[in-house]
Amino acid sequence: MIGKQIKGTGFRGCLNYVLGKKDAALIGGTMCGQTPEELAAEFAIARQLRPNLKVAVFHATLSVGSTEKLEDSEENDQRWLAIAANYMKAMEFDNNQYAVVKHSDTEHDHIHIVASRICLDGGVVDDSWDYYKSQETIRQLERSYNLETVTPSWETDKRAQTTGEHRQFKSKGNKSVRVQLQDLIDEVTQDNPSMPEFVERLQQQAVEVQVTLTGIGFSKGISYNLDGVALSGTQLGKAYTFSGLQKHRGVSYDKGRDNALIEALMQPQHLANAPGEAEENELESSQSELVASAPATPATANELESSQSELETTAPAIPATANELELQLSILPERNETQWQKVRSHLAVEYSLPLELLEKLHSHSWLYADSEKAVFTARTLDGEASFAFVLDERGNFTTTHPLSSEAAFWVATTGEIERAVIACNPIEVLSILLVEQENSATAPATIYLGIERASQLPIQFLQELDSVIIAIAEDYMLARNASDLLPNAELVNPQSSWNDIWIQLIEQEQQTQKQNNQQYKQRIQDIELD
């Protein structure tokens, strides 16, 4: 089963769409209205409970495979209503208005659920990370209702042939370069080679391979060139990107073991003279020497290691020299260590950021104090400090070099990065990281980026990831510009800033702890009275 979620501001337009389709049928829900007008008026009553909430509409689509439709229409409707009820309960909409509309205009039987995020008691359903919550719910529903797992088109690992490619093969028997590359890659990965072995095998088949690695071991991308036609991994399909090769084709990669080998294979003399079978033994011997002499971890910057209990940083295997660090910091505001304690306290009190996290960032020069303000360094993925986000005591950010590109304030959890979350400034980055740590202990390795303008996004690197989330709060134009550059990214519209959400979580925990303490004291008093 496939599920999609969209958040919006207007019920009437959404209802006109889902009920205006050919063969659309309102089959149930928790409401009395039967027309878009009646349902919109009913939604408006509950909306008066939270008149300032802009994004009040939750619109979900659930679709099953073409063979999953039941012949008996009444029985099929009842099954859909049961699925919808279970889905909405799992998504925490069990005290909300919603309408279920079934569509029969495609080969896949599917329903639309239009719901209000405003609960009938005046609360609001939190939509943070609802994509992941929805996927977990859908997997459970598939098991409960014995439904076939349907892979969404955006999750398929190989891009299908275009109409032109199909016609060319049918008329002339010639495979396009894209199909040839897909077939070659599928062939050379059958025995789960290492990444250097994979690159070498393609070179032996006259395929030029380019792997771009950053100084900290992230892959910014992989591309292929056959017969003068160059295609990126993304253009071939999800399984042919750098991370996709590992996940879907079994190619093993260890940056400490493989980066030196990959860089050696990228050298021009090697590309011009790809080894033949007679040279394989000699190459294996030279590769062994490279492995023995290569550094264990070629990272030049640090990653934030996240666990359920704390955030930790690991020291760089090859730390920057004092001269290099001085050169990087020369383009940033001057440090003033005497002001650090004051700035640190302000960030902890005003934004509820943990002191341990602030100290870790400060120890790596990602955060420091100038004469009186907090300075967050914006770095490229290679770790080069390019400019700074400067936060004053009023909560306003300014940047020192606003035209710099592909540099952002960022932190990353340990492991091979699988997804990215994009926010609008360093405070939002740290807040959304903390919110996620509070709500999800099983999130994949993630890089969190804070940007001022969309041009700062490392587009090629982001296109290689399995998931990109644009979670820019309160800056619609920046979110839209980022979405235009990353059309496959998921756009999340929080109802307030991520820092506000983080502070609310802290306050809720404190209130719960206070109540528990009061209950404990009352029990002690009761015991004493007895």
Side-chain angles (χ1 to χ4, degrees):
M1 184 163 62
I2 298 173
K4 300 179 184 179
Q5 312 85 45
I6 302 173
K7 272 77 72 176
T9 58
F11 287 101
R12 182 63 181 273
C14 184
L15 290 165
N16 284 340
Y17 168 76
V18 299
L19 286 170
K21 283 278 190 175
K22 182 181 179 181
D23 297 328
L26 178 65
I27 62 173
T30 61
M31 306 177 71
C32 299
Q34 297 295 311
T35 66
E37 295 82 0
E38 293 171 349
L39 291 168
E42 202 170 335
F43 276 123
I45 296 173
R47 196 162 195 174
Q48 294 175 6
L49 298 172
R50 298 297 290 263
N52 296 325
L53 181 65
K54 295 180 181 179
V55 184
V57 181
F58 177 82
H59 175 198
T61 305
L62 301 178
S63 174
V64 296
S66 57
T67 61
E68 297 287 337
K69 182 177 180 179
L70 300 181
E71 293 184 4
D72 185 281
S73 59
E74 183 176 349
E75 184 180 351
N76 193 38
D77 289 353
Q78 292 303 313
R79 181 180 67 165
W80 269 125
L81 286 176
I83 290 173
N86 288 332
Y87 177 81
M88 296 302 280
K89 182 176 181 180
M91 296 294 289
E92 300 181 12
F93 282 84
D94 48 343
N95 190 28
N96 298 66
Q97 298 168 308
Y98 69 86
V100 182
V101 178
K102 187 178 74 170
H103 283 182
S104 304
D105 57 335
T106 68
E107 63 177 5
H108 295 283
D109 202 21
H110 66 281
I111 60 171
H112 293 259
I113 306 173
V114 181
S116 173
R117 292 183 54 232
I118 302 170
C119 305
L120 296 178
D121 60 4
V124 177
V125 176
D126 183 8
D127 62 353
S128 303
W129 316 112
D130 58 355
Y131 172 82
Y132 300 100
K133 187 189 299 182
S134 177
Q135 292 305 303
E136 292 176 1
T137 301
I138 286 171
R139 300 289 85 82
Q140 181 58 51
L141 290 172
E142 288 170 345
R143 292 189 289 270
S144 299
Y145 289 89
N146 195 29
L147 296 172
E148 178 184 356
T149 298
V150 179
T151 304
S153 59
W154 62 87
E155 291 185 0
T156 53
D157 63 6
K158 176 188 289 190
R159 286 189 180 272
Q161 294 186 59
T162 65
T163 302
E165 289 171 335
H166 180 73
R167 288 175 179 171
Q168 177 183 343
F169 179 71
K170 188 174 181 180
S171 61
K172 299 181 180 180
N174 297 329
K175 292 182 179 180
S176 68
V177 171
R178 177 163 60 171
V179 175
Q180 291 180 58
L181 284 170
Q182 289 172 335
D183 290 347
L184 279 172
I185 293 171
D186 290 345
E187 180 180 346
V188 302
T189 57
Q190 289 183 5
D191 60 345
N192 302 331
S194 67
M195 191 65 71
E197 290 172 335
F198 166 74
V199 172
E200 180 194 352
R201 290 175 183 181
L202 286 181
Q203 289 175 342
Q204 292 173 357
Q205 298 293 329
V207 178
E208 293 182 15
V209 184
Q210 285 295 327
V211 179
T212 306
L213 296 171
T214 71
I216 54 173
F218 293 166
S219 164
K220 293 181 69 175
I222 186 167
S223 61
Y224 313 90
N225 189 315
L226 178 63
D227 296 334
V229 179
L231 294 169
S232 68
T234 304
Q235 290 174 308
L236 297 182
K238 186 176 180 180
Y240 306 95
T241 65
F242 194 84
S243 60
L245 288 167
Q246 300 166 62
K247 182 172 291 187
H248 302 287
R249 292 296 182 267
V251 177
S252 64
Y253 169 68
D254 179 271
K255 61 184 179 182
R257 179 196 68 191
D258 296 337
N259 278 9
L261 298 175
I262 293 173
E263 289 176 2
L265 291 167
M266 294 298 101
Q267 296 304 311
Q269 64 270 22
H270 190 94
L271 295 175
N273 300 288
E277 293 182 7
E279 301 170 277
E280 286 184 357
N281 292 335
E282 181 180 349
L283 180 63
E284 288 178 3
S285 175
S286 64
Q287 286 181 344
S288 298
E289 294 175 2
L290 279 171
V291 172
S293 61
T297 305
T300 58
N302 303 290
E303 300 174 3
L304 284 179
E305 179 182 358
S306 62
S307 64
Q308 296 182 24
S309 59
E310 62 181 355
L311 294 171
E312 298 179 350
T313 53
T314 55
I318 305 179
T321 65
N323 290 337
E324 290 173 343
L325 188 58
E326 183 178 353
L327 178 63
Q328 285 192 2
L329 296 182
S330 66
I331 63 175
L332 304 175
E334 186 176 354
R335 299 171 67 101
N336 187 337
E337 287 302 319
T338 62
Q339 293 295 313
W340 168 241
Q341 295 299 324
K342 177 183 175 182
V343 167
R344 186 191 70 162
S345 298
H346 175 71
L347 293 173
V349 173
E350 187 69 22
Y351 303 101
S352 294
L353 299 177
L355 291 175
E356 297 84 358
L357 174 58
L358 297 175
E359 285 294 347
K360 287 177 176 28
L361 296 171
H362 180 249
S363 68
H364 302 303
S365 300
W366 299 351
L367 166 63
Y368 62 91
D370 65 359
S371 58
E372 58 182 7
K373 303 180 181 70
V375 178
F376 296 84
T377 58
R379 300 167 295 128
T380 66
L381 295 182
D382 291 303
E384 179 184 354
S386 296
F387 66 95
F389 291 86
V390 182
L391 176 67
D392 62 28
E393 292 188 354
R394 296 183 178 181
N396 299 316
F397 273 101
T398 57
T399 55
T400 55
H401 294 276
L403 297 181
S404 298
S405 62
E406 292 207 346
F409 175 82
W410 60 263
V411 292
T413 56
T414 56
E416 182 68 25
I417 301 300
E418 298 182 27
R419 67 169 182 154
V421 178
I422 302 167
C424 61
N425 62 56
I427 295 294
E428 290 290 273
V429 165
L430 299 176
S431 298
I432 199 170
L433 183 151
L434 293 167
V435 168
E436 179 168 24
Q437 291 299 306
E438 186 73 18
N439 288 280
S440 176
T442 59
T446 302
I447 184 170
Y448 301 82
L449 302 103
I451 62 172
E452 188 208 27
R453 57 186 66 208
S455 61
Q456 293 163 353
L457 292 171
I459 299 299
Q460 186 177 5
F461 167 69
L462 295 174
Q463 288 175 338
E464 290 281 324
L465 301 181
D466 289 345
S467 172
V468 177
I469 302 170
I470 300 172
I472 297 173
E474 302 177 334
D475 193 335
Y476 174 80
M477 286 306 300
L478 180 58
R480 180 54 56 193
N481 291 339
S483 181
D484 290 342
L485 292 174
L486 298 164
N488 293 326
E490 180 190 2
L491 194 61
V492 174
N493 298 306
Q495 64 269 27
S496 62
S497 75
W498 289 106
N499 189 246
D500 287 343
I501 295 173
W502 169 241
I503 292 173
Q504 290 171 12
L505 283 175
I506 294 295
E507 291 175 346
Q508 289 171 6
E509 287 185 0
Q510 291 174 344
Q511 184 64 28
T512 299
Q513 185 175 6
K514 182 179 179 181
Q515 292 173 353
N516 291 338
N517 289 340
Q518 289 174 346
Q519 292 173 0
Y520 175 77
K521 290 180 181 179
Q522 184 62 49
R523 287 197 297 270
I524 295 298
Q525 290 174 359
D526 292 343
I527 292 172
E528 291 174 349
L529 288 174
D530 290 342

